[in-house]
């Protein structure tokens, strides 16, 4: 499936969900007085969706990959901080919430990795390099594939 806007990407949606849940976590009273810890985990969580969006908008495969790996690094930073927070005295009652957030951050990281695999193994340089001739060729290939799919569906159904 091809996405026209980053807002439609499932991984971007999951990353914004992660950020929202991290912001909810840091509203807990245990974070009172721990401003730098709170700020760092919130910024890292928000970085995941922001870097995914920025990479999507850049227009080259190499820039996309760079930002996907930055986003993935931020997801790892969130997990690392959650592990640290879990070990702090006074955070025991948030253990279940922290565990769920770690799982979500890990899921987002896996999704980012899967997304990176596709362009990484492609010859396409990116949207910025696609000229009119290339667009026309891609459109023709798409139409041919759709036509062949339609023919296959007719042959399966029979007369």
């Amino acid at each position: 499936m091809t996405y026209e806007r980053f807002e439609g990407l499932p991984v971007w949606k999951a990353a914004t969900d992660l950020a929202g849940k991290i912001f909810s976590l840091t509203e807990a009273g245990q974070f009172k007085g721990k401003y730098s810890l709170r700020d760092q985990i919130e910024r890292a969580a928000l970085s995941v969706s922001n870097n995914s969006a920025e990479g999507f908008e850049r227009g080259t495969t190499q820039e996309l990959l760079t930002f996907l790996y930055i986003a993935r690094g931020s997801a790892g930073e969130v997990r690392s901080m959650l592990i640290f927070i879990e070990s702090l005295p006074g955070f025991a009652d948030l253990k279940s919430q922290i565990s769920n957030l770690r799982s979500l951050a890990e899921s987002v990281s896996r999704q980012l990795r899967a997304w990176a695999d596709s362009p990484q193994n492609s010859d396409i340089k990116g949207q910025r390099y696609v000229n009119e001739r290339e667009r026309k060729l891609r459109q023709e290939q798409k139409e041919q594939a759709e036509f062949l799919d339609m023919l296959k569906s007719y042959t399966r159904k029979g007369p």
Side-chain angles (χ1 to χ4, degrees), residues 105-120:
E106 194 168 332
S107 171
V108 169
S109 184
R110 281 193 307 270
Q111 290 177 59
L112 288 165
R113 176 66 188 144
W115 182 11
D117 280 347
S118 179
Q120 203 164 26

Side-chain angles (χ1 to χ4, degrees), residues 124-140:
I124 299 171
K125 291 182 181 181
Q127 194 64 27
R128 188 183 297 174
Y129 297 103
V130 177
N131 58 30
E132 193 54 43
R133 190 184 70 139
E134 185 73 23
R135 277 189 192 87
K136 186 177 178 182
L137 178 62
R138 287 186 188 179
Q139 183 61 34
E140 288 172 0

Side-chain angles (χ1 to χ4, degrees), residues 2-120:
T2 303
Y3 294 92
E4 298 292 323
R5 300 168 48 94
F6 68 81
E7 293 93 336
L9 295 166
V11 69
W12 180 83
K13 291 176 183 178
T16 57
D17 184 42
L18 173 64
K21 288 178 178 177
I22 290 292
F23 274 72
S24 292
L25 174 74
T26 59
E27 290 294 318
Q30 291 87 331
F31 283 89
K32 186 174 179 151
K34 295 176 175 59
Y35 303 111
S36 61
L37 180 63
R38 178 180 178 163
D39 180 61
Q40 186 64 28
I41 195 168
E42 287 175 349
R43 289 175 348 108
L46 200 51
S47 175
V48 180
S49 61
N50 285 345
N51 280 293
S52 300
E54 187 166 356
F56 183 89
E57 295 288 334
R58 283 297 181 125
T60 70
T61 299
Q62 190 53 54
E63 287 176 308
L64 170 64
L65 290 170
T66 297
F67 282 94
L68 290 181
Y69 281 104
I70 292 169
R72 195 162 183 247
S74 294
E77 183 179 357
V78 169
R79 287 196 333 267
S80 176
M81 294 184 73
L82 288 168
I83 292 166
F84 173 75
I85 289 167
E86 196 172 39
S87 73
L88 293 175
F91 283 81
D93 58 332
L94 298 176
K95 198 172 195 94
S96 175
Q97 191 177 0
I98 290 170
S99 176
N100 291 339
L101 287 169
R102 283 175 56 191
S103 294
L104 180 55
E106 194 168 332
S107 171
V108 169
S109 184
R110 281 193 307 270
Q111 290 177 59
L112 288 165
R113 176 66 188 144
W115 182 11
D117 280 347
S118 179
Q120 203 164 26

